[in-house]
Amino acid sequence: MTSTAQPPASGAREAHPDHLGHVIFITAAAAMGGFLFGYDSSVINGAVEGIRGKYDVGSATLAQVIAIALIGCAIGAATAGRIADRIGRIRVMQIAAALFTVSAVGSALPFALWDLAFWRVLGGIAIGMASVIGPAYIAEVAPPAYRGRLGSFQQAAIVIGIAVSQLVNWGILNLADGDQRGKLLGIEAWQVMLGVMVVPAVLYGMLSFVIPESPRFLISVGKVDKAKAILADVEGKNVDLDLRVTEIENAMRSEHKSTFKDLLGSRFGFLPIVWIGIGLSVFQQLVGINVAFYYSATLWQSVGINPSDSFFYSFTTSIINIVGTVIAMMLVDRIGRRPLALIGSTGMALALAFEAWAFSADLIDGKLPHTQGIVALIAAHVFVLFFALSWGVVVWVFLGEMFPNRLRAAALGVAASAQWIANWAITASFPSLSEWNLSGTYVIYTFFALLSIPFVLKFVKETKGKALEEMG
């Protein structure tokens, strides 16, 4: 969609904060929700076999318990934007932190499989809220010149959360002598894995009390002086604050608060820009990235790798994820969001194709042949690298930037909700698909990686360097 708005006259585009370190702290604190998002999403990887053994369930039931959290994610993502527009971004962070904390305690001490599933849903709602409020808040407080890099903090926090969860799981497994059902602190090891999340959840809640509210929200509720003080803090005193507030007020006056009805178009349900956001979110998941984080330990064990090594490979994949994210953070404001997405799609498609080839081999004594095993491990790491340096970061940056002000909160909620539904579809289907044909499953993921290339070329426009008021 082509922007018709004029560049801001207040100097916002060239704004440089007087204390960049403070802006980075604010961004990092908000991105703590992303850390919990990554941690809670991935920690289940270490508990899968423990849950299977304790409750004696098959792959299909187990998949539903794992995937059910994603239904909560969709609910949290769909409602967070509306709640944030009513009570503020910071309050939503505090609600999410409380839900994360309760979910961690409940998941560590379940009475039965059904209430474990309930606590997973509750944690999922928190993840969904964090997935929306993090990028929205960061986009609203970050100066345009830094927004791509600061927006990348959300994905950086997610991948660090994933890596830390895998490292903690590996450490707990070793303390339990390699047995997910071994006793630690009076409960089974997998329960400890799920309960440890209470620590970052409480920290997230504490940090939410020391960062400022979004200036755009403050202006929307008439607290202009507070908004000016925060704008001066995050965009610098060289910005014409009166004109900056006027720009935001004009944008908000000409466009009312976002509601679901605002997203509807006349021909295809949603407006085209909303469909593009949904497409970005869905493609991010349909390449199968979360199989690597929910099932990798189980996957490697299924092709003959012992439990301790499988946990270690899950951790090394998480490190590669961090490396790729750092690369993306360095490049996203230099070469742009769109080129990174295209590079990533190409690399992912090639890596997934090699994985499909490797998994097509017949197992020998329960293991992949040596060559295919090496190719599978390398391709899995390459796939995660290309995802991390591209779609893992740019989708969140796009979703924080691409929508006009009148749509942003509601559209971001719908797009993130679609992402969680796609995530659920992949997560719930993988055990059954892999039992049917593991190689064929990776062929499907390869197809979606390839299909994302023409989607980006035809529909996705670059947002690099534009002020949010220029989107439209």
Side-chain angles (χ1 to χ4, degrees):
M1 181 177 290
T2 303
S3 172
T4 57
Q6 296 300 313
S10 63
R13 180 182 283 182
E14 297 81 21
H16 294 280
D18 299 317
H19 303 288
L20 181 59
H22 182 55
V23 178
I24 290 172
F25 170 77
I26 292 170
T27 303
M32 190 68 191
F35 177 92
L36 282 157
F37 167 176
Y39 194 102
D40 195 23
S41 296
S42 184
V43 70
I44 194 69
N45 189 10
V48 170
E49 296 305 315
I51 295 170
R52 188 199 302 271
K54 182 174 178 65
Y55 298 108
D56 192 25
V57 293
S59 294
T61 302
L62 184 65
Q64 293 307 317
V65 173
I66 293 167
I68 198 170
L70 302 172
I71 302 299
C73 293
I75 294 169
T79 58
R82 295 286 300 277
I83 297 171
D85 280 344
R86 290 178 180 232
I87 65 174
R89 282 59 167 149
I90 298 298
R91 289 288 177 265
V92 172
M93 292 182 196
Q94 290 164 354
I95 292 169
L99 291 174
F100 275 125
T101 303
V102 172
S103 171
V105 174
S107 297
L109 303 169
F111 300 107
L113 194 62
W114 68 266
D115 83 298
L116 174 60
F118 171 77
W119 300 121
R120 296 269 304 143
V121 171
L122 206 62
I125 294 172
I127 295 173
M129 291 181 128
S131 75
V132 169
I133 204 61
Y137 175 86
I138 292 168
E140 291 181 349
V141 299
Y146 296 92
R147 198 188 312 116
R149 280 163 286 182
L150 294 176
S152 301
F153 274 44
Q154 172 79 357
Q155 181 63 17
I158 292 170
V159 299
I160 291 170
I162 291 170
V164 170
S165 74
Q166 299 306 315
L167 182 60
V168 170
N169 283 354
W170 182 70
I172 291 171
L173 185 72
N174 283 323
L175 288 174
D177 297 321
D179 183 3
Q180 289 183 27
R181 300 199 60 195
K183 292 290 185 178
L184 284 176
L185 304 176
I187 55 179
E188 296 186 6
W190 67 268
Q191 294 174 267
V192 178
M193 293 176 187
L194 299 181
V196 167
M197 193 184 70
V198 74
V199 176
V202 170
L203 179 59
Y204 180 41
M206 293 171 64
L207 287 170
S208 70
F209 285 96
V210 298
I211 60 176
E213 182 54 86
S214 158
R216 285 174 177 77
F217 172 75
L218 292 172
I219 290 171
S220 76
V221 295
K223 298 181 178 179
V224 175
D225 289 339
K226 276 190 175 181
K228 281 184 181 179
I230 294 166
L231 285 168
D233 193 27
V234 299
E235 294 189 354
K237 293 184 174 61
N238 292 328
V239 173
D240 186 328
L241 294 176
D242 290 327
L243 191 53
R244 187 76 181 99
V245 169
T246 300
E247 288 169 355
I248 296 171
E249 285 179 329
N250 287 341
M252 297 172 75
R253 193 176 296 119
S254 62
E255 308 155 344
H256 54 281
K257 284 188 178 181
S258 58
T259 66
F260 185 80
K261 190 180 294 184
D262 295 325
L263 308 182
L264 302 178
S266 57
R267 294 181 61 192
F268 302 108
F270 290 122
L271 295 167
I273 189 67
V274 180
W275 279 118
I276 293 169
I278 290 171
L280 285 166
S281 287
V282 169
F283 273 118
Q284 190 196 53
Q285 296 303 313
L286 293 184
V287 296
I289 185 59
N290 279 309
V291 167
F293 300 123
Y294 298 158
Y295 293 115
S296 60
T298 299
L299 174 64
W300 296 126
Q301 289 173 52
S302 75
V303 293
I305 294 174
N306 68 57
S308 183
D309 285 346
S310 72
F311 270 62
F312 178 72
Y313 291 137
S314 296
F315 174 62
T316 59
T317 302
S318 300
I319 297 301
I320 293 294
N321 200 13
I322 294 173
V323 171
T325 301
V326 171
I327 293 171
M329 292 174 71
M330 292 189 296
L331 296 179
V332 67
D333 280 327
R334 294 182 183 178
I335 70 172
R337 292 79 162 124
R338 199 164 172 265
L340 274 183
L342 293 170
I343 291 167
S345 293
T346 304
M348 287 190 297
L350 288 170
L352 287 165
F354 275 108
E355 283 196 82
W357 172 80
F359 289 132
S360 68
D362 293 329
L363 299 184
I364 300 172
D365 297 328
K367 296 184 178 182
L368 283 174
H370 180 73
T371 300
Q372 281 85 349
I374 295 296
V375 169
L377 278 172
I378 293 173
H381 285 73
V382 171
F383 164 62
V384 170
L385 176 66
F386 273 96
F387 175 86
L389 65 80
S390 60
W391 284 76
V393 166
V394 298
V395 169
W396 293 111
V397 176
F398 267 129
L399 293 182
E401 294 180 336
M402 66 187 289
F403 302 114
N405 278 341
R406 70 184 177 88
L407 304 178
R408 184 169 298 113
L412 184 53
V414 168
S417 186
Q419 182 178 130
W420 291 116
I421 292 169
N423 190 340
W424 171 82
I426 292 296
T427 304
S429 64
F430 177 75
S432 298
L433 282 173
S434 62
E435 286 182 2
W436 160 69
N437 190 317
L438 185 56
S439 177
T441 303
Y442 276 86
V443 169
I444 294 170
Y445 301 154
T446 304
F447 169 76
F448 284 118
L450 289 170
L451 193 60
S452 68
I453 296 173
F455 173 79
V456 171
L457 288 172
K458 183 169 177 60
F459 297 112
V460 179
K461 307 300 181 186
E462 184 60 74
T463 58
K464 171 187 169 186
K466 293 181 179 181
L468 294 183
E469 287 66 43
E470 296 178 76
M471 305 300 173

